[in-house]
Amino acid sequence: MSIQVRNLSYVYNAGMPDEQKALDNVSFEVYNGQIASIIGHTGSGKSTLVQHLNGLLKPSEGTIIVGGTDITEAGVAMREIRQKVGLVFQYPEYQLFEETVAADVAFGPKNLGLDEMEINDRVREALSLVGLDVDEVGERSPFDLSGGQKRRVAIAGIIAMRPQVLILDEPTAGLDPGAHREIIDMIRKVHEKEENIVIFVSHNMDDVAALSDKVLVMDRGQLMMSGTPQEIFHQRERLANAGLDIPSAAKLMMQLRKSGCEVPVDALTREDAAKELAAYLQGKSRKC
Amino acid sequence: MLRDITLGQYYPGSSPIHRLDPRVKIIATLLFIVELFIVNNFIGFAICAAAMAICVIVSKVPLSFIMRGLKPIIIILLFTFLLNIFMVDGKVIWTLGPLEVTKEGLITAIFMAIRLILLIIGSSLLTLTTTPIRLTDGIERLLSPFERFGLPAHDIAMMMSIALRFIPTLLEEADKIMKAQQARGADFESGNIMRRAKSLIPILIPLFVSAFRIAQDLAMAMESRCYRGGKGRTRLHEMRFHRKDVISMIVLFVFLAGIIVERMLVESDI
Ligand SMILES: Nc1ncnc2c1ncn2[C@@H]1O[C@H](COP(=O)(O)OP(=O)(O)OP(=O)(O)O)[C@@H](O)[C@H]1O
Ligand SMILES: [Mg+2]
């Protein structure tokens, strides 16, 4: 399983006075077992890009190959694509509609034509993966839950379809720190369990550094850079030009360096930074 | 898909028509509609169509854009055309089984079709060249003399502008929800009518929830900015008649008189 995007361009409202090129010649690959993240300033085309990956938008130009199938060709079975590629939208809690949480999570699997036993199993499992107990919330109305819980129910609705590629568009936007951490842990857990591809859009560089194998940087509709977090976050200037930042741990190490401490500046996550600092403080070359 | 709806859409521009006082444009549109019903012969229509064409050219709105407004009414147009063709009595020129096409029927059908097309183009030119805000401002000012008789002109205008303002927002919201449910495997296109109607539930419920949320937010935002209805409210854009507006009004009424005279001089076609 892999996703290959080649020379993808997309124009909104083509031929109208407010026509807008949202994607411009974007090419990249994501391979099996990888977690990829997409970063970029507001309006850089991240949401537009992920909506192409499960065929919700048709490219103006270019091809998208998901697991060997070209999904831009006429006549491909969209149902199959949507089963393979699960997309959680920005603010997914606004798409809940069923009377009970369990029924809402079951909506996707039902559309796949699964039998009832299987659906019930999947609902239970998906809810527990997002940290909710079906016996506790299953029969409640989704509209009575808190914002963070709603978000998790909506994500469970996609996980229950067991997609081979799970895409999340800003899954932590607008959540408190606790709910934020839970969602990030949940992404990691789902990825370990399902061994799928995960692609997530985020404005949080700490999450990006901690989770991803690959980072895609969008700037004004173009793919500006792509590579490992190490490769990307060491190009601080270019990121700043695209309106982006580096992880807070990396920033701290840079500040220390600036104030005269010769600490190494490779760390991107808090854990790595702590290790490097500890090693530095115990080492002989210590100067501050 | 939903975004193709161009109801009341504005085409940005700075042509003389765009810059006219909205009241003049509203009156012009109303007069044009009246004129379309005064006219009873094809020469009259030719004059109206020519006036219309001049306005369209001056407005610099592309023809393709105006034609798009006709698309949704093609079915209505065809229906009235066929109804007229077969239902009017007169000299039979063509039979099709039990149906008879008469000469009078054909003429009436063409007549009605022209009237309908000009009507739609005329009124869409108003919304294409006037922003919703200016439009409702204009309506409010035109209705304000009737406030004395208890007509809540300001509230009507405010409701209209809010409704117009939120059509695109709700369409966008519907589009988003539709995509989200499609991502969960929902299928809106196949199956019989019952199945399709049922498949709308996952769209309609979140849409209603959103609509109420938006309405509540808006009410709160308006109240926190001390909105208390129309009394004593001043406005950012004071509307004033300029010379071009006065001249336009004169031209409009001369044109109306011309159409009436034309009807008296030329023999009726229907
Ligand atoms: N439905 C639409 N119709 C017209 N233009 C759109 C539409 N959706 C997005 N755009 C435009 O396309 C561009 C890319 O938008 P997109 O939503 O993909 O950005 P984004 O990177 O996801 O931003 P954010 O971080 O705010 O979510 C923007 O300039 C936006 O104005
Ligand atoms: Mg987005």
Side-chain angles (χ1 to χ4, degrees), chain A residues 229-262:
Chain A
Q230 288 290 341
E231 287 164 0
I232 299 297
F233 286 123
H234 283 145
Q235 310 196 40
R236 215 177 151 185
E237 249 92 86
R238 285 186 73 190
L239 283 175
N241 283 339
L244 296 169
D245 212 342
I246 58 174
S248 53
K251 237 189 290 183
L252 173 68
M253 299 306 260
M254 297 286 271
Q255 290 287 341
L256 282 172
R257 177 68 73 93
K258 235 189 234 159
S259 46
C261 288
E262 288 298 312

Side-chain angles (χ1 to χ4, degrees), chain A residues 47 90 169-170:
Chain A
S47 299
Q90 223 163 334
D169 194 351
E170 295 192 32

Side-chain angles (χ1 to χ4, degrees), chain A residues 213-242:
Chain A
D213 302 304
K214 180 168 193 165
V215 183
L216 304 166
V217 186
M218 295 295 298
D219 180 32
R220 273 164 284 165
Q222 291 178 327
L223 182 66
M224 184 181 143
M225 309 186 241
S226 73
T228 63
Q230 288 290 341
E231 287 164 0
I232 299 297
F233 286 123
H234 283 145
Q235 310 196 40
R236 215 177 151 185
E237 249 92 86
R238 285 186 73 190
L239 283 175
N241 283 339

Side-chain angles (χ1 to χ4, degrees), chain A residues 16 51 82 95 104 111, chain B residues 68 179-182 184 206:
Chain A
M16 306 266 277
Q51 283 174 39
R82 306 231 161 101
Q95 75 200 28
D104 208 288
N111 286 328
Chain B
R68 199 173 303 169
K179 276 186 187 162
Q181 306 300 22
Q182 274 176 325
R184 296 211 271 168

